[in-house]
Amino acid sequence: MAPRPYWRGYLKLSLVTCAVTLSPATTEGEKVRFHTLNRKTGDRIYTRYIDAVSGKTVDEDDQAKAYEKGEDDYVILEDEDLDAVQLESARTIDIDEFVEADTIEWVYFDSPYFVVPADEVGEEAFTVIREAMSDSKVVGISRLVLGGRERAVMLQPWDKGIVLWTLRYGDEVREEDEYFKSVQAQKPENKLLSMVEEIIEQRTVAWSDSMVKDPVQDRLLEIIKSKKSSKRKATPKKGAEQNAEPKDNVIDLMSALKKSLERKAKPNHRSDG
């Protein structure tokens, strides 16, 4: 059973409107989560806001958001101040611009959400918008308030629905030139290039979500199970030393590539198709 929608509202394109729901496309619900305990008593420890000067606990009603203008100089912003800057995007995804689907750099993508019709009445309008974007090979750009913050969002046709990506703002994305400018743009030798391409071909397989399995998560669950049943401290796996950082050995590139190609490809690296 699908989880309850995170958001309900309307998808709008010009005069076409339909009710939709928004649900996160990813989840961390299965992740191992920890609580902080008092080791001596075994009791839970809770976080409280403490006044930096008096050292006293501050009640929730007395907690306020503030902007630091200078050292120890703050301007307090009330809820009505924050509400005043929000646009009318709390309940409507109004698509007012489109761009070619492959022109937005991946670094702008933040969090994905599934968008589906909220009822049968709006399904036809939803389908028309989705199919028209798909046929035109474009994605929609809009704005939406999520978690009390207005976000730029991208709407991408996906299967029978639409995926909405929240987008990072321009000032949150760093220029790659600052990092790549020191990399030499020289063309590699043809022989080296062909050898690497051969290795890539040998190791090219079909995508599977098992490729992004979390081994740390599995190991944590093993440790938790072990502690619960035996009360013993977990011991590291045999061969853990093999995961240590390699020594700084300089290996000739051509030699390394030759050895790589001489090694038989693993069974899961080849496809008989």
Side-chain angles (χ1 to χ4, degrees):
M1 184 177 179
R4 293 179 61 184
Y6 173 75
W7 180 93
R8 290 178 179 271
Y10 297 90
L11 178 64
K12 181 181 179 184
L13 173 59
S14 188
L15 300 179
V16 180
T17 304
C18 59
V20 295
T21 63
L22 211 66
S23 301
T26 60
T27 178
E28 294 189 353
E30 300 301 318
K31 289 289 185 184
V32 174
R33 298 182 182 277
F34 299 102
H35 296 292
T36 304
L37 303 182
N38 182 334
R39 187 186 296 275
K40 292 181 179 179
T41 65
D43 297 330
R44 287 274 303 274
I45 297 174
Y46 293 95
T47 302
R48 289 189 174 90
Y49 285 97
I50 305 296
D51 188 294
V53 176
S54 69
K56 295 181 179 179
T57 301
V58 181
D59 294 334
E60 186 175 351
D61 291 342
D62 293 326
Q63 297 169 17
K65 290 183 172 62
Y67 176 78
E68 187 175 12
K69 293 174 61 179
E71 188 175 355
D72 295 327
D73 183 13
Y74 299 92
V75 174
I76 293 180
L77 296 175
E78 304 295 347
D79 289 342
E80 52 266 28
D81 296 321
L82 300 175
D83 292 339
V85 300
Q86 300 288 354
L87 301 182
E88 296 179 3
S89 53
R91 282 287 169 256
T92 302
I93 307 170
D94 191 352
I95 310 176
D96 53 4
E97 293 179 306
F98 294 92
V99 299
E100 293 180 7
D102 58 355
T103 57
I104 301 179
E105 296 182 27
W106 65 269
V107 73
Y108 283 92
F109 294 178
D110 191 5
S111 299
Y113 295 83
F114 293 135
V115 184
V116 296
D119 50 46
E120 292 184 6
V121 176
E123 195 164 316
E124 183 177 17
F126 178 89
T127 303
V128 168
I129 294 173
R130 183 198 66 217
E131 289 301 305
M133 285 197 294
S134 180
D135 291 347
S136 303
K137 294 181 173 55
V138 297
V139 292
I141 303 297
S142 184
R143 305 187 77 81
L144 178 63
V145 174
L146 288 173
R149 181 188 179 193
E150 187 175 79
R151 307 294 302 267
V153 298
M154 181 193 83
L155 294 107
Q156 177 183 20
W158 194 269
D159 194 30
K160 294 188 292 184
I162 292 174
V163 172
L164 179 147
W165 282 91
T166 56
L167 300 176
R168 295 184 175 90
Y169 290 113
D171 58 2
E172 295 176 328
V173 176
R174 292 175 172 173
E175 289 291 339
E176 66 268 22
D177 291 345
E178 291 297 315
Y179 302 90
F180 297 157
K181 62 184 179 182
S182 61
V183 180
Q184 299 299 319
Q186 61 187 22
K187 189 173 178 61
E189 294 181 24
N190 288 336
K191 186 168 181 60
L192 292 176
L193 189 60
S194 63
M195 294 173 76
V196 172
E197 288 172 350
E198 187 175 345
I199 294 173
I200 291 173
E201 184 179 358
Q202 288 178 355
R203 300 190 177 199
T204 298
V205 297
W207 161 257
S208 167
D209 57 10
S210 64
M211 295 177 181
V212 288
K213 195 173 182 180
D214 186 354
V216 174
Q217 177 86 353
D218 294 340
R219 182 61 184 141
L220 275 173
L221 290 172
E222 289 177 15
I223 292 172
I224 291 169
K225 184 178 179 180
S226 171
K227 282 182 172 289
K228 184 178 180 180
S229 58
S230 66
K231 305 294 183 183
R232 291 179 299 177
K233 289 186 177 181
T235 55
K237 282 188 174 179
K238 291 182 180 179
E241 298 83 1
Q242 296 176 1
N243 295 326
E245 293 186 8
K247 294 181 179 179
D248 188 17
N249 294 330
V250 179
I251 301 175
D252 178 71
L253 179 57
M254 181 66 77
S255 250
L257 291 175
K258 283 180 178 178
K259 289 179 181 178
S260 296
L261 290 171
E262 286 168 3
R263 293 175 58 186
K264 290 183 178 179
K266 294 181 181 179
N268 63 344
H269 284 160
R270 281 191 180 276
S271 173
D272 295 329

